[in-house]
Amino acid sequence: MTETFEPIRYTADVVVTTTDGHVLLIQRGWDPHKGAWALPGGHVDPGETSRAAAARELADKSAARDALRAAEKQLRRSERVLHRAEQS
């Protein structure tokens, strides 16, 4: 019997929850398991950190991208306001 070796592919998945306990899921659009519900995630690219891969996959595979951008903008605004308050 000949043993076959396949390359190991690392993956990064994301668990996003709301304060009331809901979990973000995506519906798979490709095989295997097309149409099944899953956590957003995918393969880690060469030279990429698992954290960067998780963020990329979340943005690629969900409508959360716009919400994340809006949250980042709000955070930057809050940081500027806090910085100005500290200088006063």
Side-chain angles (χ1 to χ4, degrees):
M1 178 192 294
T2 304
E3 221 176 324
T4 305
F5 294 96
E6 295 183 25
I8 295 172
R9 300 282 316 258
Y10 294 99
T11 61
D13 294 308
V14 181
V15 178
V16 178
T17 61
T18 62
T19 56
D20 57 353
H22 290 92
V23 177
L24 176 68
L25 297 174
I26 59 144
Q27 193 166 18
R28 291 180 58 91
W30 56 93
D31 283 324
H33 312 295
K34 183 176 180 176
W37 292 99
L39 294 170
H43 290 109
V44 178
D45 292 335
E48 185 177 40
T49 66
S50 57
R51 184 174 291 194
R56 175 180 51 77
E57 290 292 341
L58 178 61
D60 287 350
K61 293 194 172 98
S62 73
R65 174 181 22 223
D66 293 335
L68 289 171
R69 286 184 183 151
E72 287 173 349
K73 274 185 177 178
Q74 184 61 41
L75 179 60
R76 284 193 294 275
R77 277 190 221 118
S78 297
E79 287 172 343
R80 285 194 298 268
V81 169
L82 179 61
H83 181 69
R84 283 194 297 259
E86 288 174 345
Q87 291 179 342
S88 299

